[in-house]
Amino acid sequence: MSQDPVGMELSSREPIRKYSLLIALGGNLGSSVGAPQETLKSALKLLQTSGAVIRATSAFYHTPAFPAGAGPDYVNAAARLEAPWDPAKALGVLHRIEAQLGRERVQRWGQRTLDLDLLACDDIVLPDRNTHKMWRDLPLEAQIGRTPEQLILPHPRMHERAFGNRRVRGFDDILMSPVHACKMQYRM
């Protein structure tokens, strides 16, 4: 039997599980690498160097800041990737990349250099269907002042994002993945 450099028999290794992840990217402030569009491009490169394989990306598009008048328009995109990261690990990688590109968590829904949201991971629902439904149905005024204490998947507000409400060139290919994230919103 052959051995790897660590001396472990190669045939005894468990295969590395790959997860299909759907993420949203956005930003409305410049970063150390330039304007928001350049920051999003850098984030995609950092995802790859962190171990992700990017399977599809949407075109970049602009959305107004929320709430209205809260700052410059956002540059947004979405990506489908495959990576050896369970949801908790994926969230950690996304937060690390945000920090690398200057993200400061000062205000919920505030201006930022980069926002990377984990929208879905395979067909995983976290923490459970009832909690997911509660966050999905939370009124807007309650959303502004509350932040979940744990990861909620699929992202409870995914269906309200611009790519859920209008056609964004290139995004259909992302949704036609093993994630089927938008369809999950209505099955629950």
Side-chain angles (χ1 to χ4, degrees):
M1 214 166 263
S2 63
Q3 293 187 336
D4 71 3
V6 180
M8 184 177 194
E9 291 179 0
L10 292 177
S11 64
S12 65
R13 283 194 174 176
E14 291 289 322
I16 296 173
R17 175 161 181 199
K18 299 285 186 173
Y19 294 86
S20 184
L21 307 164
L22 183 62
I23 64 164
L25 303 90
N28 70 339
L29 298 177
S31 72
S32 61
V33 297
Q37 186 162 334
E38 296 308 311
T39 303
L40 269 58
K41 288 177 185 176
S42 291
L44 290 168
K45 288 177 187 168
L46 287 169
L47 285 164
Q48 289 176 307
T49 60
S50 297
V53 175
I54 297 176
R55 297 294 183 197
T57 58
S58 71
F60 288 11
Y61 59 95
H62 294 265
T63 57
F66 180 83
D73 286 354
Y74 279 81
V75 176
N76 297 99
R80 180 173 51 87
L81 29 126
E82 186 176 277
W85 312 324
D86 64 22
K89 173 77 174 174
L91 187 63
V93 171
L94 297 180
H95 285 174
R96 179 182 50 77
I97 292 171
E98 287 176 340
Q100 278 182 262
L101 293 170
R103 167 78 186 264
E104 295 178 358
R105 296 180 180 278
V106 177
Q107 174 187 351
R108 182 163 168 82
W109 294 347
Q111 298 181 56
R112 59 199 67 168
T113 58
L114 180 63
D115 187 25
L116 297 175
D117 283 343
L118 179 57
L119 300 177
C121 179
D122 289 335
D123 59 357
I124 297 170
V125 178
L126 291 176
D128 57 69
R129 290 181 184 277
N130 290 335
T131 303
H132 186 276
K133 181 177 181 349
M134 187 274 299
W135 279 98
R136 192 176 66 236
D137 295 343
L138 198 64
L140 177 62
E141 57 278 358
Q143 294 175 44
I144 293 170
R146 292 182 66 184
T147 304
E149 293 180 17
Q150 69 250 343
L151 179 59
I152 310 287
L153 284 179
H155 191 292
R157 305 245 112 6
M158 181 170 50
H159 62 288
E160 296 174 358
R161 300 290 177 97
F163 51 76
N165 294 320
R166 69 176 189 190
R167 193 159 216 48
V168 175
R169 186 172 56 83
F171 197 71
D172 289 342
D173 290 341
I174 295 169
L175 292 178
M176 297 312 295
S177 71
V179 175
H180 297 299
C182 283
K183 291 180 182 177
M184 287 181 60
Q185 290 289 338
Y186 304 103
R187 285 198 324 233
M188 297 173 101

